[in-house]
């Protein structure tokens, strides 16, 4: 008979069992390991729930199960190491490794496998499965211990270990279900307690019998093999129970769902919607034939997973869709999930979809395992809505919009139209657009406009309109006729754009392009256009017209003295006076600067008559421009030089006509300014000759066609003191060109600069050559320097550089300046002369007496000598004035301590008279004409050094 009292009170004798204790450190480590492994497995479980890819979910499930299973086994193994016995036990490797599998199986059952099933098992069955796996793992692992003796188990404590395993497993899974991974560390501690409590309860139930210990038949001890069998039996029973539960539940549910699904799909397919069926836990999905057709797929072609659906959703929509699905799953209840989003079709296009779904099945823990819904193609509706939005946005655009009926009664206007016209909406609605007419367009204009609308269905163009204030303004109007399906006009839509600013901008652009901003007169561009048209009209009508080229005299002086602001006021006043002197049909234009043009169209078919009219108008203009001007607080007087050119009967271009008028104007300037001149064809011939000469002059400089001739300078004793270097040009096509012909042209074209540089270089090289000839080493060479050349910034450096590299004595070089040098920038001239003078270079003031030299400046100049111009020497014996001037020049030179030389001396009486005045240096044909260098050197060698004849000397003494 079963002895229950012995069962509860049985204890083996102390000598039969090994005593043991616990190492608390290893105990703590074992518990920490299982908690850590459980925490990692739970975090992986979170990722499984958030994931959409089936493959990723499977991988995470496997990793989570292995992690937790190994954690449970590790806790058991480390927990066994925590046992301190009289001798150290060993372990059977195969048995120890075998004990791992129940732990992994328990983790799979509790966390992964059942979680991925469509129907969840009740919590008690799952907790029994987990507890049984822990017990099997523990008792199999215990059989792997090798020590001196054998194992046995206390029946009561062995039973309690079962109760502990099942209870704490239930508690751990309960925490996981309720907390939904909100606090995974708490759930992990629950799993740690379940495993640790089972393990150490099992240890307490264990007897470590010594070798040779004998028990009586009546001793109530469970052997180690029996413990494994009992725990394994529990596991198999729980697995069988779970399997039966699953099969029965799934079978019943499947039949029910199949029946409802057939009815539901039949109804939805008939409505044209696509049907989907999705298990959020396994991510498996089923899509109807219509669902695939909406996206362009064949039946069953689209991947049957929820992840594939989310992947096909537009990137801008998928985040909101996922968020909505999760919110619906958490919310529960009988509500429907709805969303609108774009999905990509098989062809790569995008379709708008309305999704509607509902959770139809949940597991025992209330997790959704089946959601069924529909997809409706709403692409056409979305496009229609977009068109409506575009139309509404366009109607309320910045352009004025008006809609009328077929009778032209205004039905609707937008805000921009109201702002443009100044009327309120109530004042406009019901009226016709006639209320907006400006009166600038006649009946024919509107008749033609409506003919276009009736024929073509639209009209657009510029039109003048009237605001409520009465202001007339330009607008761009587009009218479109709206017809119904029968082609009958039902409405008219007008788009009104105020183009006032554009018109103002066009006028501004035209003003900038064709009018002078200072005077408001037509500029060169508009002038040439009008002139071109007038040339054609005058020729066609056989009428003479005239062009007046006007240049204001000495305008630069006004800018330099009173400033450019006064100059601008002066030009504006000139423009008004010119307009006052001309007719409305005449054109007054400003070319730029101080140049104006007046065009007098179609004066007369008779050339003389036309010339008389043009002359009278020009004289009127001259008189008007000669009147005083008031420039703010300043008064100014001015005049003008005007060139007149007639045209009309012959073909001529605008460029040629402008050149002819310009030539006539310069003729007026040459005549002393403040006058008018008519164009003469000889002027053109002169200009052409001048242009040809300029071209030859440029070639001559490049080809070095010039030579220097030297005219000797002698003193009263007949001694040669030096020579003046005079340039000569022998042109291959022209022969010898007189200096008076090409020197002025070189000055005007600034070719005098390279020409002067060549003269300087050549003269210095000649001085260097003479320095090697004893009889000529003392000679000086005088060269003429142009004011333009002297004004160059680097003139001083150039002269000093030339003197240096040729190696001449600076005192042998003499620069001859004219009085014209002293008219401008005197301080700069004095500064340059002083630098060169300090270097030893001499200066002679050429043509003295012909200009307007200031004596105050003259005394400051570092001059060597004054040169009496040949114009005074020529008639010095017959013209008292020339004699007086020559005498004054000599006296002035003596008073300033300067030398004096006379040029153009051709006779001995002239020399004698000059000597009588005190001039003892001469240059002229009396001694020699200018000679080429070879002839000059030969002349010097043969020059007898003659002095004045006895007769001439006698006259000198009288």
């Amino acid at each position: 008979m079963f002895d229950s009292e012995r069962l509860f009170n049985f204890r083996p004798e102390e000598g039969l069992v090994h005593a043991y204790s616990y190492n608390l450190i290893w105990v703590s480590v074992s518990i920490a390991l299982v908690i850590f492994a459980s925490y990692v497995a739970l975090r992986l479980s979170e990722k499984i729930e958030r994931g959409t890819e089936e493959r990723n979910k499977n991988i995470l499930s496997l990793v989570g199960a292995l992690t937790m299973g190994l954690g449970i086994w590790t806790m058991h193994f480390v927990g066994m190491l925590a046992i301190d016995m009289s001798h150290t036990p060993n372990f059977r490797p195969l048995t120890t490794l075998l004990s791992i599998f129940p732990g992994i199986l328990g983790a799979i059952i509790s966390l992964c496998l059942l979680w991925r099933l469509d129907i969840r098992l009740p919590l008690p069955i799952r907790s029994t499965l987990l507890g049984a796996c822990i017990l099997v793992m523990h008792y199999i692992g215990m059989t792997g211990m090798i020590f001196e003796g054998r194992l046995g188990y206390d029946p009561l404590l062995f039973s309690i270990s079962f109760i502990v395993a099942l209870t704490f497993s239930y508690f751990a899974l309960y925490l996981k279900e309720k907390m939904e991974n909100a606090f995974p560390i708490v759930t992990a501690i629950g799993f740690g307690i379940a495993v640790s409590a089972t393990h150490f309860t099992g240890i307490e139930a264990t007897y470590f019998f010594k070798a040779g210990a004998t028990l009586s038949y009546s001793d109530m001890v469970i052997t180690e093999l029996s413990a494994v069998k009992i725990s394994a039996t529990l596991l198999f029973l729980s697995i069988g129970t779970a399997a039966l539960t699953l099969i029965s539940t799934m079978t019943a549910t499947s039949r029910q769902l199949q029946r409802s699904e057939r009815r539901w799909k039949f109804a939805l397919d008939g409505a044209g919607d696509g049907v989907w069926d999705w298990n959020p836990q396994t991510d498996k999905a089923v899509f109807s034939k219509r669902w695939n057709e909406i996206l362009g797929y064949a039946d069953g072609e689209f991947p049957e997973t929820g992840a594939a659906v989310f992947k096909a959703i537009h990137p801008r929509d998928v985040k909101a869709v996922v968020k909505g699905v999760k919110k619906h799953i958490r919310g529960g209840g009988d509500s429907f999930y709805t969303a609108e989003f774009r999905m990509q079709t098989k062809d790569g296009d995008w379709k708008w979809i309305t999704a509607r779904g509902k959770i139809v099945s949940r597991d025992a823990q209330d997790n959704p395992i089946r959601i069924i819904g529909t997809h409706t193609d709403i692409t056409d509706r979305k496009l229609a809505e977009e068109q409506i939005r575009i139309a509404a946005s366009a109607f309320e655009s910045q352009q004025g919009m008006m809609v009328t009926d077929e009778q032209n009664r205004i039905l609707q206007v937008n805000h921009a139209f109201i702002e443009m016209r100044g009327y309120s909406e109530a004042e406009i609605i019901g009226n016709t657009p006639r209320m907006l007419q400006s009166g600038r367009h006649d009946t024919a204009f509107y008749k033609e406009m409506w003919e276009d609308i009736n024929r073509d269905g639209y009209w657009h163009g510029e039109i003048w309109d009237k605001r409520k204030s009465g202001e007339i303004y330009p607008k761009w109007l587009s009218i479109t006729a709206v017809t119904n399906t029968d082609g009958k006009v039902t409405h008219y839509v007008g788009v009104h754009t105020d183009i006032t600013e554009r018109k103002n901008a066009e006028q501004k652009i035209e003003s900038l392009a064709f009018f002078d901003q200072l005077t408001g007169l037509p500029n060169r561009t508009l002038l040439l256009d009008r002139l071109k048209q007038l040339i054609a009209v005058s020729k066609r009508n056989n009428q003479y017209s005239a062009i007046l080229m006007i240049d204001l005299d000495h305008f630069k002086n006004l800018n330099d003295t009173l400033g450019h602001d006064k100059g601008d006021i002066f030009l504006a006043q000139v423009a008004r006076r010119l307009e006052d002197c001309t007719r409305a049909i005449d054109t007054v234009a400003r070319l730029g600067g101080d140049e104006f043009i007046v065009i007098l169209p179609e004066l007369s078919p008779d050339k003389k008559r036309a010339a008389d009219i043009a002359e009278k108008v020009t004289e009127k203009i001259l008189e008007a421009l000669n009147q005083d001007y008031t420039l703010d607080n300043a008064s100014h007087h001015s005049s003008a030089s005007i060139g007149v050119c007639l045209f009309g009967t012959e073909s001529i271009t605008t460029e040629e006509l402008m050149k002819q008028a310009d030539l006539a104007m310069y003729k007026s300037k040459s005549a002393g300014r403040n006058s008018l001149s008519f164009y003469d064809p000889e002027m053109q011939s002169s200009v052409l000759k001048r242009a040809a000469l300029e071209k030859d002059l440029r070639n001559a400089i490049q080809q070095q066609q010039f030579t220097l001739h030297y005219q000797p300078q002698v003193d009263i004793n007949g001694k040669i003191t030096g020579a003046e270097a005079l340039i000569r040009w022998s042109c291959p096509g022209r022969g010898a060109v007189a200096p008076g012909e090409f020197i002025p042209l070189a000055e005007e074209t600034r070719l005098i600069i390279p020409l002067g540089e060549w003269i300087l270089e050549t003269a210095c090289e000649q001085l260097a050559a003479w320095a090697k000839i004893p009889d000529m080493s003392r000679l000086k060479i005088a060269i003429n320097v142009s004011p333009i050349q002297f004004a160059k910034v680097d003139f001083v450096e150039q002269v000093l550089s030339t003197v240096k590299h040729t190696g001449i004595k600076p005192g042998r070089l003499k620069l001859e300046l004219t009085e014209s040098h002293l008219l401008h920038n005197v301080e700069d001239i004095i500064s340059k002369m002083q630098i060169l003078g300090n270097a030893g270079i001499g200066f002679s003031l050429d043509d003295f007496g012909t200009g307007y030299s200031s004596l105050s400046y003259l005394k400051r100049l570092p001059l060597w000598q004054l040169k009496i111009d040949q114009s005074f020497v020529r008639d010095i014996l017959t013209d008292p004035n020339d004699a007086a001037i020559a005498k004054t020049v000599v006296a002035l030179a003596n008073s300033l301590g300067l030398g004096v030389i006379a040029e153009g001396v051709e006779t001995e009486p002239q020399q004698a008279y000059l000597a009588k005045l005190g001039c003892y240096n001469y240059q002229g044909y009396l001694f020699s004409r200018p000679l080429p260098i070879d002839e000059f050197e030969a002349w010097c060698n043969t020059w007898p050094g003659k002095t004045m004849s006895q007769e001439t000397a006698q006259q000198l003494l009288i």
Side-chain angles (χ1 to χ4, degrees):
M1 185 174 180
F2 179 74
D3 189 354
S4 60
E5 183 179 355
R6 183 171 177 80
L7 173 66
F8 290 104
N9 296 324
F10 172 74
R11 290 288 184 276
E13 296 178 5
E14 291 184 3
L16 298 178
V17 297
H18 293 285
Y20 66 90
S21 62
Y22 292 105
N23 186 318
L24 294 180
I25 295 177
W26 282 108
V27 170
S28 301
V29 170
S30 66
I31 297 173
L33 284 173
V34 72
I35 292 175
F36 175 75
S38 300
Y39 177 78
V40 172
L42 289 170
R43 294 306 299 265
L44 290 174
S45 175
E46 291 180 19
K47 292 187 178 182
I48 295 172
E49 294 177 7
R50 291 198 300 267
T52 57
E53 293 287 344
E54 180 70 18
R55 180 173 177 272
N56 292 340
K57 284 188 172 185
N58 292 333
I59 294 174
L60 290 174
S61 299
L62 179 60
V63 174
L66 290 174
T67 302
M68 188 168 184
L70 289 173
I72 295 172
W73 179 83
T74 303
M75 182 273 148
H76 167 74
F77 186 75
V78 174
M80 292 174 67
L81 294 178
I83 299 173
D84 286 335
M85 298 176 62
S86 57
H87 63 279
T88 303
N90 293 320
F91 296 92
R92 297 182 181 91
L94 182 61
T95 306
T96 302
L97 290 175
L98 183 64
S99 66
I100 295 176
F101 293 102
I104 296 175
L105 177 62
I108 293 175
I109 291 172
S110 61
L111 295 180
C112 304
L113 179 62
L114 297 181
W115 184 84
R116 301 301 305 277
L117 293 174
D118 289 343
I119 299 176
R120 282 214 171 184
L121 289 171
L123 182 59
I125 295 177
R126 285 189 290 131
S127 61
T128 301
L129 285 170
L130 176 61
C133 288
I134 296 173
L135 287 168
V136 171
M137 178 210 68
H138 174 78
Y139 287 111
I140 290 177
M142 291 296 292
T143 63
M145 292 185 65
I146 302 174
F147 65 98
E148 295 178 358
R150 68 180 186 277
L151 293 176
Y153 296 97
D154 183 277
L156 179 60
L157 291 178
F158 177 78
S159 302
I160 292 174
S161 70
F162 275 63
I163 296 172
V164 169
L166 298 178
T167 302
F168 282 100
S169 293
Y170 182 93
F171 172 71
L173 290 176
Y174 178 81
L175 285 177
K176 181 181 184 303
E177 296 287 338
K178 294 302 180 182
M179 291 191 175
E180 295 184 352
N181 292 324
F183 300 98
I185 186 64
V186 175
T187 306
I189 292 174
F191 277 106
I193 292 173
V195 176
S196 302
T198 300
H199 172 78
F200 288 107
T201 302
I203 294 296
E204 287 300 311
T206 305
Y207 294 129
F208 297 96
F209 289 104
K210 296 180 179 179
T214 58
L215 297 176
S216 66
Y217 177 77
S218 60
D219 289 336
M220 305 298 292
V221 177
I222 300 174
T223 65
E224 53 184 335
L225 184 58
S226 298
V228 173
K229 291 179 181 179
I230 295 171
S231 59
T233 300
L234 176 63
L235 176 59
F236 292 139
L237 288 174
S238 59
I239 291 175
T241 304
L244 289 174
T245 303
L246 285 173
I247 291 171
S248 60
T249 304
M250 292 174 65
T251 301
T253 304
S254 175
R255 289 174 181 174
Q256 182 181 356
L257 288 176
Q258 285 175 1
R259 288 194 297 270
S260 62
E261 184 179 326
R262 282 195 297 270
R263 293 193 297 270
W264 187 65
K265 285 186 177 181
F266 177 79
L268 290 176
D269 283 342
D273 293 338
V275 181
W276 50 269
D277 187 339
W278 176 48
N279 183 346
Q281 307 305 319
T282 63
D283 200 40
K284 292 289 180 63
V286 178
F287 307 110
S288 69
K289 180 180 179 181
R290 175 58 185 157
W291 192 96
N292 281 275
E293 288 176 352
I294 291 175
L295 298 180
Y297 291 94
D299 188 16
E301 184 179 1
F302 190 87
E304 295 185 335
T305 64
V309 175
F310 289 116
K311 186 176 181 181
I313 296 175
H314 196 284
R316 294 184 180 177
D317 302 335
V318 67
K319 185 176 181 180
V321 173
V322 172
K323 182 178 179 181
V325 170
K326 290 184 176 181
K327 181 178 180 181
H328 177 70
I329 290 174
R330 288 195 302 270
D334 295 329
S335 63
F336 281 90
Y337 162 74
T338 59
E340 291 185 358
F341 49 84
R342 287 162 289 182
M343 286 191 72
Q344 192 170 34
T345 67
K346 182 178 180 181
D347 296 334
D349 298 329
W350 295 96
K351 280 196 173 184
W352 276 99
I353 302 295
T354 289
R356 194 167 185 267
K358 184 179 180 181
I359 300 173
V360 297
S361 179
R362 294 179 179 270
D363 61 13
Q365 285 69 42
D366 204 33
N367 294 309
I369 57 175
R370 193 174 189 192
I371 304 177
I372 298 178
T374 61
H375 274 185
T376 305
D377 184 355
I378 60 170
T379 304
D380 292 339
R381 191 195 83 190
K382 283 289 185 178
L383 291 175
E385 290 174 353
E386 185 178 6
Q387 293 298 324
I388 293 172
R389 286 196 301 272
I390 292 173
S393 176
F395 191 78
E396 288 301 335
S397 65
Q398 294 183 352
Q399 294 179 316
M401 301 285 290
M402 174 195 289
V403 180
T404 71
D405 61 14
E406 73 279 6
Q407 301 298 323
N408 247 353
R409 288 186 297 270
I410 301 174
L411 301 178
Q412 190 177 2
V413 293
N414 66 355
H415 182 72
F417 185 93
I418 295 172
E419 290 290 325
M420 190 184 304
R421 302 306 185 280
Y423 291 96
S424 66
E425 186 174 3
E427 291 174 311
I428 296 175
I429 301 300
N431 282 303
T432 67
R434 294 188 185 92
M435 67 181 293
L436 306 172
Q437 292 182 0
S438 65
R440 290 196 178 188
H441 304 286
D442 56 17
T443 305
F445 173 83
Y446 291 106
K447 181 181 178 182
E448 182 180 356
M449 180 180 75
W450 280 106
E451 287 177 352
D452 290 347
I453 295 173
N454 293 331
R455 182 182 66 251
D456 303 325
Y458 67 90
W459 179 90
H460 58 83
E462 290 187 9
I463 190 171
W464 289 90
D465 218 341
K466 182 174 66 176
R467 306 188 202 273
K468 182 178 181 180
S469 63
E471 177 191 354
I472 306 298
Y473 70 98
K475 71 177 182 182
W476 181 266
L477 174 61
S478 297
I479 301 176
T480 303
V482 181
T483 59
N484 59 18
T485 56
D486 298 329
K488 182 181 177 181
V489 175
T490 59
H491 298 84
Y492 294 101
V493 178
V495 180
H496 304 246
T497 306
D498 188 342
I499 59 174
T500 303
E501 292 185 2
R502 193 188 81 186
K503 285 290 185 182
N504 292 338
E506 289 175 353
Q507 292 176 0
K508 181 66 175 177
I509 292 172
E510 181 180 3
S511 175
L512 292 172
F514 299 112
F515 291 89
D516 176 59
Q517 298 304 296
L518 176 61
T519 63
L521 299 177
N523 60 13
R524 177 184 289 272
T525 303
L526 183 56
L527 166 70
L528 293 178
D529 182 67
R530 291 184 180 179
L531 187 58
K532 182 178 181 180
Q533 296 180 33
L534 182 58
I535 290 173
V537 171
S538 298
K539 183 179 180 182
R540 183 172 62 250
N541 297 339
N542 198 28
Q543 289 275 343
Y544 281 96
S545 301
I547 179 173
L548 281 57
M549 177 76 73
I550 304 171
D551 185 86
L552 304 176
D553 297 331
H554 305 299
F555 175 69
K556 184 176 183 300
N557 293 341
L558 169 62
N559 277 337
D560 292 343
T561 55
L562 298 182
H564 288 274
D565 55 335
K566 298 297 189 296
D568 290 346
I569 297 172
F570 169 67
L571 292 173
Q573 292 184 16
V574 168
R576 302 291 80 78
R577 293 188 186 188
L578 291 175
E579 289 180 322
D580 292 341
C581 294
T582 54
R583 304 166 296 175
I585 63 172
D586 299 334
T587 295
V588 179
R590 182 185 176 210
L591 284 183
D594 59 347
E595 288 187 334
F596 292 82
I597 291 286
V598 175
I599 300 177
L600 306 176
E602 299 189 279
L603 298 177
S604 174
D606 181 66
K607 187 174 184 178
K608 186 177 183 307
R609 173 62 180 160
D612 290 341
I613 297 174
E615 184 176 12
K616 289 181 180 180
V617 174
T618 306
E619 289 176 346
K620 182 180 179 182
I621 291 174
L622 281 173
E623 183 180 357
L625 298 182
N626 262 289
Q627 305 300 316
D628 288 344
Y629 297 83
T630 301
L631 311 178
D632 289 340
N633 298 324
S635 180
H636 178 68
H637 183 83
S638 181
S639 61
S641 300
I642 304 178
V644 184
C645 183
L646 298 177
F647 62 94
T649 59
E650 297 179 356
S651 297
I652 190 173
T653 64
T654 54
E655 291 79 7
E656 291 173 345
L657 188 57
M658 294 284 287
K659 288 178 181 178
Q660 292 177 2
D662 196 50
L663 288 173
M665 183 270 291
Y666 274 104
K667 183 179 178 182
S668 298
K669 282 190 173 295
S670 301
R673 306 176 189 272
N674 193 24
S675 61
L676 68 92
S677 298
F678 277 83
Y679 170 74
D680 186 342
E682 292 184 0
M683 295 179 183
Q684 186 70 17
S685 176
S686 176
V687 170
L688 294 175
K689 289 180 181 179
R690 181 182 179 279
L693 181 61
E694 180 182 344
K695 180 179 179 181
D696 289 344
L697 182 58
R698 292 183 183 275
N699 290 335
I701 294 174
Q702 293 178 356
Q703 299 173 10
Q704 296 186 354
Q705 297 174 1
F706 301 98
T707 58
L708 287 183
H709 286 202
Y710 298 87
Q711 187 172 31
Q713 296 176 342
V714 300
D715 61 13
I716 193 170
N717 298 317
K719 180 181 178 181
I720 302 173
T721 59
E724 180 179 3
L726 301 170
I727 190 168
R728 294 294 183 264
W729 177 21
S730 179
C731 180
R734 296 174 180 271
V737 183
E741 185 177 351
F742 71 84
I743 292 296
L745 179 61
E747 294 274 359
E748 292 177 19
T749 58
R750 298 185 66 84
L751 292 174
I752 195 67
I753 294 176
L755 202 57
E757 292 173 354
W758 178 83
I759 293 173
L760 174 64
E761 185 76 21
T762 305
C764 289
E765 289 176 352
Q766 190 57 57
L767 284 172
W770 286 349
K772 301 175 183 179
I773 305 174
D775 292 341
M776 303 189 72
S777 60
R778 56 183 177 79
L779 298 182
K780 298 177 181 179
I781 293 182
I783 62 173
N784 292 283
V785 178
S786 164
I788 296 174
Q789 183 183 4
F790 198 87
K792 284 186 62 182
V793 176
D794 62 343
F795 176 74
V796 172
E797 289 77 7
Q798 183 184 17
V799 173
L800 294 177
S801 175
T802 303
V803 170
K804 182 177 181 180
H805 81 258
T806 55
I808 66 169
K809 293 182 179 179
R812 302 300 184 199
L813 178 64
K814 181 167 61 175
L815 305 181
E816 291 194 358
L817 311 179
T818 62
E819 285 188 275
S820 59
H821 281 79
L822 307 180
L823 296 179
H824 304 288
N825 205 1
V826 178
E827 295 300 330
D828 181 64
I829 293 171
I830 293 174
S831 174
K832 290 179 178 178
M833 290 179 65
Q834 287 176 343
I835 295 173
L836 294 173
N838 292 337
I841 298 171
F843 288 94
S844 174
L845 193 58
D846 196 7
D847 301 336
F848 186 74
T850 61
Y852 306 92
S853 298
S854 169
L855 296 181
S856 63
Y857 288 133
L858 191 63
K859 68 180 182 180
R860 296 173 56 195
L861 299 176
L863 294 171
W864 279 7
Q865 65 179 194
L866 301 179
K867 196 171 192 179
I868 302 173
D869 189 69
Q870 61 181 342
S871 62
F872 303 130
V873 174
R874 184 182 306 112
D875 298 324
I876 196 171
L877 299 177
T878 58
D879 189 334
N881 292 328
D882 288 345
I885 291 174
K887 183 178 181 180
T888 301
V889 171
V890 173
L892 180 62
N894 291 333
S895 65
L896 294 175
L898 304 176
V900 63
I901 184 172
E903 65 176 354
V905 179
E906 298 181 354
T907 65
E908 287 190 353
Q910 290 175 338
Q911 181 188 17
Y913 188 82
L914 288 167
K916 183 179 179 180
L917 295 178
C919 177
Y920 305 125
N921 292 281
Y922 318 99
Q923 175 183 338
Y925 276 69
L926 174 62
F927 310 102
S928 174
R929 63 180 176 81
L931 299 171
I933 184 60
D934 294 339
E935 295 182 22
F936 176 78
E937 290 178 347
W939 179 87
C940 289
N941 292 329
T942 58
W943 171 248
K946 65 177 182 178
T947 59
M948 287 182 288
S949 64
Q950 187 175 358
E951 180 182 357
T952 302
Q954 185 66 33
Q955 292 180 2
L956 180 60
L957 296 173
I958 297 176

